[in-house]
Amino acid sequence: MADSVKFWFDPSCPWAWMTSRWVGEVAALRGFDVEWKVMSLAVLNEDQDVSEEYREFFPRALKYTRLVQAAQELHGQQTVKALYDALGARIHPGGSSNPDEVIPAALAEVGLPVAFAALADSEQYDVQMRASHFDGMERVGQDVGTPVISVNDVAFFGPVVSPAPTGDQALALWDGVVAVAGCEGFFEMKRTRTRGPVFAAE
């Protein structure tokens, strides 16, 4: 039986981006589907004491999250993944921090109209976006961020990897995640990061 997998991401998070590349590769190799769901770093931290520099990032991040949630509501899962791929490739390996450039180019790539960009600044689907966010957070607790992955209804923060593993290494890591998901009492494994995001050429 194929694994049941859900993946929560904020499109602006480079760590979620790399983990999503790994999950996507494993899904293709192992033949299972992934339910792609948004969470929001802006919502996660809206009542937290964070630096002003970090808080200035939230409005831009919220644009992307709202846009992807709108895609979910209006066009479904297939468009969610395609739009995440198009946005993320420009934000992360592409290095763009300007949503006014990223969003129109991503919409054009996935075949959505230019007018769809207005939903990045709209609260129209905020109820659904927040529901998706809290669905993920309630599975793992409020002291984590993104990515969150659920494997066979057991959710974890992470794995955080840099760079994203590929091929046999990707499959080996996946098998490890499935193994710990099958251990009812497993909660946490962590070490300090010694490198930043390393993006593959895309």
Side-chain angles (χ1 to χ4, degrees):
M1 179 183 296
D3 294 314
S4 171
V5 180
K6 298 180 180 180
F7 187 94
W8 281 263
F9 63 94
D10 185 308
S12 295
C13 178
W15 300 104
W17 172 255
M18 284 186 294
T19 305
S20 74
R21 301 307 91 185
W22 161 68
V23 170
E25 173 156 346
V26 175
L29 292 171
R30 289 283 172 86
F32 59 79
D33 294 325
V34 180
E35 184 177 354
W36 302 93
K37 302 171 69 71
V38 296
M39 63 83 66
S40 170
L41 291 170
V43 172
L44 181 68
N45 291 283
E46 61 189 356
D47 297 321
Q48 303 301 313
D49 183 16
V50 299
S51 69
E52 283 304 312
E53 181 181 7
Y54 189 37
R55 194 168 296 281
E56 288 173 359
F57 151 82
F58 295 152
R60 182 173 76 246
L62 194 57
K63 286 177 180 281
Y64 299 132
T65 308
R66 283 173 164 163
L67 194 72
V68 175
Q69 187 64 48
Q72 169 66 60
E73 299 304 317
L74 298 173
H75 299 286
Q77 269 290 294
Q78 184 173 354
T79 303
V80 167
K81 179 58 162 60
L83 184 56
Y84 179 33
D85 290 348
L87 291 168
R90 290 165 174 82
I91 297 166
H92 303 302
S96 179
S97 60
N98 185 352
D100 293 335
E101 294 176 355
V102 169
I103 290 173
L107 294 177
E109 180 178 323
V110 302
L112 290 172
V114 174
F116 201 86
L119 292 168
D121 295 305
S122 169
E123 298 179 2
Q124 183 173 351
Y125 298 110
D126 276 15
V127 170
Q128 294 92 328
M129 179 269 288
R130 286 175 173 270
S132 177
H133 169 87
F134 287 113
D135 180 27
M137 293 301 99
E138 286 167 3
R139 295 166 188 253
V140 292
Q142 299 299 311
D143 57 344
V144 301
T146 179
V148 168
I149 187 170
S150 171
V151 180
N152 301 327
D153 293 322
V154 178
F156 302 100
F157 165 67
V160 175
V161 290
S162 179
T166 59
D168 289 344
Q169 188 178 46
L171 293 174
L173 177 58
W174 180 257
D175 290 338
V177 169
V178 173
V180 298
C183 179
E184 190 275 333
F186 179 85
F187 294 103
E188 186 173 358
M189 181 185 293
K190 187 173 183 178
R191 64 175 177 164
T192 300
R193 298 175 195 171
T194 58
R195 69 182 68 159
V198 178
F199 301 116
E202 298 183 29

